[in-house]
Amino acid sequence: MMLYAIVGEDAPESLERRLSARPAHLARLQSLVDDGRMILAGPFPAIDSPDPGPAGFSGSLIVAEFASIAEAQTWADADPFVAAGVYARVTVRPFKKVLPK
């Protein structure tokens, strides 16, 4: 098993779609938490604020453990945010955690 960083970049004007698909998206993330494979996950606010309101978000970062980059990519491709058109682009990259130990 190895860590992978999954970066989703939001499509323009996707806040309503994001909010609508969020419960299903969070449920999938929770399954990684329940399996002990989640390191961190969260959105990128579009402005310098923890609650960006109508400005929305510019994307998301997920760092989690998968057996291979192919498995991580398959998981990312099946995200409800992809199906809902929230993400315009998703990138999956191997990640090596150094700190904290």
Side-chain angles (χ1 to χ4, degrees):
M1 295 291 260
M2 185 167 167
L3 295 179
Y4 294 89
I6 300 169
V7 179
E9 297 174 42
D10 282 20
E13 309 296 324
S14 63
L15 182 57
E16 283 187 33
R17 293 187 303 272
R18 175 183 271 273
L19 295 175
S20 177
R22 188 170 186 262
H25 172 76
L26 291 178
R28 287 186 83 239
L29 294 176
Q30 186 61 49
S31 70
L32 291 176
V33 172
D34 294 345
D35 291 344
R37 296 168 47 199
M38 175 65 72
I39 302 300
L40 63 89
F44 299 120
I47 60 173
D48 191 13
S49 172
D51 182 5
F57 300 90
S58 63
S60 304
L61 170 66
I62 300 162
V63 178
E65 192 175 50
F66 293 92
S68 67
I69 194 167
E71 181 184 302
Q73 185 70 59
T74 297
W75 186 91
D77 290 344
D79 193 296
F81 278 2
V82 172
V86 175
Y87 292 153
R89 178 177 171 203
V90 177
T91 305
V92 178
R93 299 173 66 180
F95 181 81
K96 181 177 178 180
K97 182 181 172 192
V98 175
L99 293 172
K101 293 188 180 210

